[in-house]
Amino acid sequence: MRSSGQVSATRLPIGSDADLAWVRQQVRQCAAHLGFGLVQQTKLVTAASELARNTLVHGGGGRAEITPLDNGRSRGLRMCFIDSGPGIRDLELAMTDGYTSGGGLGLGLSGAKRLVHEFSVDTEPGRGTTVTAVAWVAQVPASRPGVG
């Protein structure tokens, strides 16, 4: 899983509710394999679920790309959600807690952002949206001298 050499992303279509379940399952499996703890796995699956649903509902479908990362110090997971939909007209407003363009709770983008370490949105009206979320495995503290 080192980033030296080719790291392959798992590409998953998002076109139905069944695809949303498949994305969640794949994120959980990859996160567990990378060494994410149960709480971190749950956060990643929650973020992936919100972002995949946005891809389906607001973007008209698209794909998810799940990529394991290794920066030499820590392992992580990058999740990209890509659609060719109408884009987000007002990203600042869309990132506001409580904002919803549908019937949801309005915590999708802002909530997902709080669940990961890095978060970006590339969007333009009429061009679609790509949301990228990255999380890193929590590091176990180094053992103290004289202990163990």
Side-chain angles (χ1 to χ4, degrees):
M1 259 188 238
R2 291 237 170 242
S3 56
S4 59
Q6 293 292 333
V7 175
S8 73
T10 299
R11 290 178 174 79
L12 304 168
I14 299 174
S16 69
D17 284 341
D19 293 335
L20 300 180
W22 184 242
V23 168
R24 287 191 298 267
Q25 180 182 20
Q26 293 301 302
V27 167
R28 181 165 308 276
Q29 286 178 356
C30 189
H33 180 74
L34 287 165
F36 282 92
L38 186 57
V39 171
Q40 287 181 301
Q41 289 176 39
T42 301
K43 288 179 179 182
L44 281 170
V45 170
T46 300
S49 183
E50 291 291 333
L51 297 172
R53 179 157 296 285
N54 281 354
T55 300
L56 178 62
V57 172
H58 301 294
R63 72 181 186 277
E65 295 180 358
I66 302 165
T67 309
L69 303 172
D70 188 334
N71 67 8
R73 295 182 318 255
S74 185
R75 289 182 291 181
L77 185 65
R78 177 176 46 236
M79 305 180 296
C80 294
F81 297 85
I82 303 147
D83 70 59
S84 300
I88 301 171
R89 290 193 191 281
D90 187 340
L91 182 58
E92 186 176 340
L93 179 61
M95 291 296 298
T96 304
D97 283 347
Y99 172 77
T100 180
S101 61
L105 297 175
L107 297 176
L109 287 176
S110 61
K113 181 179 180 178
R114 284 192 299 273
L115 295 172
V116 296
H117 297 109
E118 302 167 27
F119 188 88
S120 65
V121 180
D122 180 18
T123 188
E124 186 177 307
R127 189 178 55 84
T129 301
T130 298
V131 178
T132 303
V134 177
W136 297 98
V137 175
Q139 294 298 300
V140 176
S143 58
R144 294 181 302 212
V147 176

